[in-house]
Amino acid sequence: MKSAKLDEVRPCLEGAIPAIMATSAVDGTPNVAYLSQVYYVDPQHVALSFQFFNKTRQNLLANPRSTLLVLNPINAVFYRLHLRYLRTETEGAVFESMKAQLAGIASHTGMADVFRLLGSDIHEVIEVERLPQAPLSEPLPVRRSRPHALAALRRASVRLSAACSLGALLHAALDALEHELAMHHAMLLILDPATQRLYTVASRGYATSGVGSEIAMGDGVIGVAARERTPVRIMHMASAYLYSRAMRDSLVSEGSGPAGTDIPYPGLPEPRSQMAVPLLSADRVIGVLFVEGREDMQFGFEEEDVLVALGGQLGAAIDLMQEAEDACEDERAAAPANAAATATPQPAGPALHVRHYRSNDSIFVNHSYLIKGVAGAILWKLLQDRERNGRHEFTNRELRLDASLRLPDVADNLEARLWLLHRRLAEQCPQLRIQKTGRGCFRFEALGPVQLEDVAA
């Protein structure tokens, strides 16, 4: 037997093969039981799922020492872990991550109605032993080829570093996921601090973009990852954590404002694997990076590590883009010819009917829902200024100073909201368009006559 580090054991903790735990009662009577979940906390600790008040539980409370036998499903090497029970957590990042993973394991094994996480038992890992490997009767199956994690992360980082605008940054992130990490179904969501909801600003690999669709903090894999500020990874389908279901529940519970203001969500109809990683900057949650796939166990701990690292850079970059507005006036003065080159075409054709509901700033165009919230308030302001004053040129700064938009004092995400509005107009109402004309400034155009209606409801 040889000693090993806990990091070497991580492939054993993916839930492919149940672990075996040995405990002893106060009188020394041994007890052996199977465990459905062992969770890697850090290089010195693991968390074991507490699901039943059984003999194992009684023994742990009376005698905190135990041993755990785990098997690496890739090379069939056994490891024996010597543990000391420390405490039980019933909330927080570790608990919520284990709860989501256990839901997937339970669903995969047909035990969805039986498995329920009561707590996360935190154990100190005293020693790890690598046991001698007996000769195998037949060769192990060849492991599916995966991108080299560190090299892929380096290339992805280069893509992000080259982006000069929020839109380019979001595209670069989705390109990196698809081409460097073979993650073909992904979404990026930004947190609205005022409403505590996450809204989709970009997606890849779905029939519809779902840009503008929302989910509440704490709902589904995405909402839990944001609320707990921790990655959440599900290796088997778990209906309770489906983004689609969480979306429906979130919309039902909202229950206010004009009807029909939900945007069809993207997402695979029957995903087998999902992972959500919070985007953090300056210790604040900026948004969530979400990926999913059609195969069980498609995302392992290595993919989780890569996405956490990439998410750190992406979160900081998104945060930085919110401040990139200072040079607007200088750029306008330096390039006066550009304004003439982009003169607004004369409106023609049938008028667009734009209805604004004051209760939640929702906007309907020709009776079809377009957008709501702060982005809706921004669009209504642009339309009114265009109609009353003939304006086309705007700056981020003036929007921030406009109290009627009710932007938060800190972390207003204005750049992300403008990007969301730009995408919704491009997809649903190309007669209205926003074009960036420099850092912190943009041009708003209507390519036809517009009729405005303001509704007090």
Side-chain angles (χ1 to χ4, degrees):
M1 291 179 292
K2 295 182 178 179
S3 62
K5 300 290 187 182
L6 186 57
D7 283 344
E8 183 178 325
V9 182
R10 289 183 73 181
C12 310
L13 312 183
E14 295 292 281
I17 301 174
I20 302 172
M21 186 177 196
T23 59
S24 63
V26 176
D27 63 0
T29 304
N31 180 75
V32 176
Y34 284 96
L35 283 182
S36 54
Q37 189 182 26
V38 181
Y39 183 85
Y40 176 90
V41 177
D42 59 41
Q44 286 81 41
H45 299 87
V46 293
L48 277 53
S49 56
F50 163 37
Q51 300 164 237
F52 310 101
F53 288 98
N54 52 17
K55 184 62 178 176
T56 298
R57 181 71 179 172
Q58 296 174 19
N59 288 351
L60 275 180
L61 295 178
N63 179 9
R65 295 292 294 268
S66 65
T67 60
L68 190 71
L69 190 65
V70 296
L71 175 64
N72 188 329
I74 300 172
N75 56 16
V77 172
F78 277 99
Y79 294 86
R80 183 160 51 220
L81 281 62
H82 297 265
L83 307 178
R84 178 188 294 116
Y85 167 71
L86 299 177
R87 64 184 183 278
T88 298
E89 297 180 357
T90 57
E91 60 182 7
V94 172
F95 177 78
E96 293 295 343
S97 290
M98 292 186 68
K99 184 179 175 183
Q101 286 189 8
L102 185 63
I105 295 171
S107 177
H108 182 65
T109 55
M111 302 290 283
D113 297 331
V114 178
F115 283 6
R116 186 167 67 91
L117 188 65
L118 301 177
S120 301
D121 288 342
I122 308 298
H123 293 252
E124 177 189 5
V125 180
I126 300 171
E127 185 180 5
V128 178
E129 295 177 285
R130 187 189 311 112
L131 305 183
Q133 185 179 25
L136 301 175
S137 58
E138 58 185 68
L140 293 167
V142 177
R143 188 186 183 191
R144 181 167 61 92
S145 175
R146 294 183 171 182
H148 186 277
L150 196 55
L153 179 61
R154 174 177 174 168
R155 293 192 296 271
S157 178
V158 170
R159 287 177 182 266
L160 297 189
S161 300
C164 299
S165 68
L166 181 62
L169 180 68
L170 299 178
H171 279 302
L174 294 175
D175 283 346
L177 293 173
E178 181 176 8
H179 301 297
E180 308 299 350
L181 299 167
M183 297 177 179
H184 302 288
H185 308 283
M187 303 178 211
L188 282 162
L189 300 96
I190 300 292
L191 174 66
D192 183 339
T195 63
Q196 289 294 288
R197 299 177 69 82
L198 296 137
Y199 54 93
T200 308
V201 292
S203 68
R204 180 72 57 88
Y206 301 110
T208 59
S209 75
V211 167
S213 56
E214 301 178 16
I215 190 168
M217 289 278 274
D219 284 348
V221 174
I222 294 170
V224 170
R227 186 188 67 194
E228 301 300 332
R229 304 158 59 96
T230 187
V232 177
R233 178 163 53 94
I234 295 183
M235 293 169 286
H236 307 282
M237 183 177 178
S239 60
Y241 281 85
L242 280 178
Y243 180 65
S244 57
R245 174 169 175 169
M247 278 285 300
R248 288 194 295 272
D249 294 346
S250 178
L251 290 169
V252 169
S253 63
E254 186 180 22
S256 63
T261 58
D262 56 307
I263 296 174
Y265 50 84
L268 296 176
E270 294 186 355
R272 306 303 305 179
S273 300
Q274 294 180 319
M275 179 162 54
V277 173
L279 306 177
L280 304 175
S281 177
D283 204 33
R284 291 182 288 110
V285 176
I286 301 298
V288 170
L289 172 59
F290 174 77
V291 296
E292 59 183 342
R294 293 191 171 93
E295 300 177 12
D296 285 333
M297 303 187 71
Q298 189 165 337
F299 309 123
F301 65 90
E302 292 175 328
E303 283 80 6
E304 179 180 322
D305 289 348
V306 169
L307 252 59
V308 169
L310 192 65
Q313 183 180 356
L314 181 57
I318 291 174
D319 209 11
L320 181 64
M321 294 294 179
Q322 308 297 329
E323 305 300 328
E325 64 176 50
D326 295 340
C328 179
E329 298 300 331
D330 294 341
E331 289 178 3
R332 279 185 181 178
N338 290 341
T342 57
T344 304
Q346 291 298 318
L352 283 177
H353 179 234
V354 181
R355 179 181 296 156
H356 169 249
Y357 289 90
R358 298 180 192 172
S359 59
N360 64 354
D361 287 314
S362 56
I363 299 286
F364 288 71
V365 178
N366 290 344
H367 308 292
S368 296
Y369 172 66
L370 179 67
I371 204 163
K372 65 181 177 183
V374 174
I378 291 173
L379 177 58
W380 187 244
K381 170 188 167 54
L382 301 181
L383 286 165
Q384 287 184 306
D385 278 5
R386 172 190 169 277
E387 182 180 77
R388 294 171 182 171
N389 308 315
R391 291 190 61 196
H392 299 286
E393 305 294 337
F394 298 87
T395 68
N396 290 12
R397 187 180 302 279
E398 70 175 283
L399 296 183
R400 284 197 165 94
L401 296 175
D402 190 332
S404 68
L405 299 180
R406 299 188 295 275
L407 284 166
D409 293 335
V410 180
D412 58 26
N413 286 343
L414 177 59
E415 197 70 24
R417 298 175 201 273
L418 286 172
W419 170 255
L420 169 64
L421 180 56
H422 163 75
R423 287 292 311 275
R424 285 293 292 169
L425 289 175
E427 292 181 0
Q428 302 298 323
C429 185
Q431 298 94 326
L432 303 178
R433 66 184 186 187
I434 289 177
Q435 292 179 306
K436 284 190 71 69
T437 52
R439 286 190 296 160
C441 50
F442 62 92
R443 183 177 179 83
F444 174 66
E445 295 177 330
L447 305 184
V450 180
Q451 176 188 2
L452 303 183
E453 178 186 5
D454 191 18
V455 180

